[in-house]
Amino acid sequence: MSLDPNIAVYLAQGGAGAAPDSLAAIRAATDLDLRRLHGAPEPVASVSDYEIPGAAGSPVALRVYLPVNAPASGARPAIVFAHGGGWCLCSVDLYDNPCRALANATGCMVLSVDYRLAPEHPFPTPLEDVYAALVWTTEHAVILGIDPARIAVGGDSAGANLAAGAALLARERSGPAIAHQLLMYPALDDRLSSASCGEFAEGYSLTLETMRFCWSTYLGEKSDADSDYAAPLRAQSLHGLPPATVMVCEFDPLRDEGVAYAQRLRGASVDASCITLEGMIHGCMHMLGLTPAARQLFDAAAAGLRQALRL
């Protein structure tokens, strides 16, 4: 396939623009740039905010979306969702539009985790915050109207890394049970040595230089010994993990590591599908206002969850 024409125009016009020279400026520019791509927010049945205990009991915000087509009663399927942003950018506020669309597309309650960001809070704090949200959701499932047997964990980009890491932690810590992993264009390997990293290193919004910067903020001085949970593609074993839907963007430096992770999952007897989002670039979850073709991500998410969560 060729690059989506609307995305091609966006990139030709500068895409995200020149890189700011400080983390504070990068955060502000990212927030502004992505909001311009969102389009109108989708209505949902309700949005609720909670404060829950994260890693070591520190407070973490959780925003809960009930889809517009949710049944009035009964235990609902749910997705504990970690947003992207290279572990150092973005927030639940910035992901309000994408999470509304995800809830409506899948029919799942979406619980968006405002995990603490690196470098102020490097690995493993963001991961432990997401894991803590998964535990809290399971423990409060009945109160929230969630079916504890139909809880998925998901995310996009760095958030998909945290979702995959949380699944590994749940396996090692004997719970909570996870029905499915929804991994959207995941960042899984700090080595950044795949063929797609070279092919799409520049010119497709996310650059290889940016990914190196993001990994450095997340890992800090951590050694390779930490990479089982920090970089899930490097985990020694993927046996015993929940089924997974892995989505990769056709024009994305991270494409090949997502493909490789799905292959490794299948090699470990885990039911895993890998879906290529044709014509898309990294971050397309934010692009419903830029191109109709971005809808394929949400359609693929619904299809991936349909069987696992009995939607």
Side-chain angles (χ1 to χ4, degrees), residues 113-184:
V113 187
D114 204 19
Y115 60 86
R116 286 168 288 172
L117 300 179
E120 296 88 345
H121 302 281
F123 174 81
T125 298
L127 172 59
E128 292 287 357
D129 281 349
V130 172
Y131 176 76
L134 183 62
V135 172
W136 184 90
T137 299
T138 303
E139 292 175 346
H140 293 79
V142 174
I143 296 172
L144 294 167
I146 292 171
D147 182 349
R150 293 194 291 165
I151 297 175
V153 65
D156 76 314
S157 190
N161 166 288
L162 298 175
L168 286 163
L169 283 180
R171 181 192 65 181
E172 297 307 314
R173 296 174 181 177
S174 300
I178 299 171
H180 200 75
Q181 302 176 76
L182 181 64
L183 310 179
M184 308 176 188

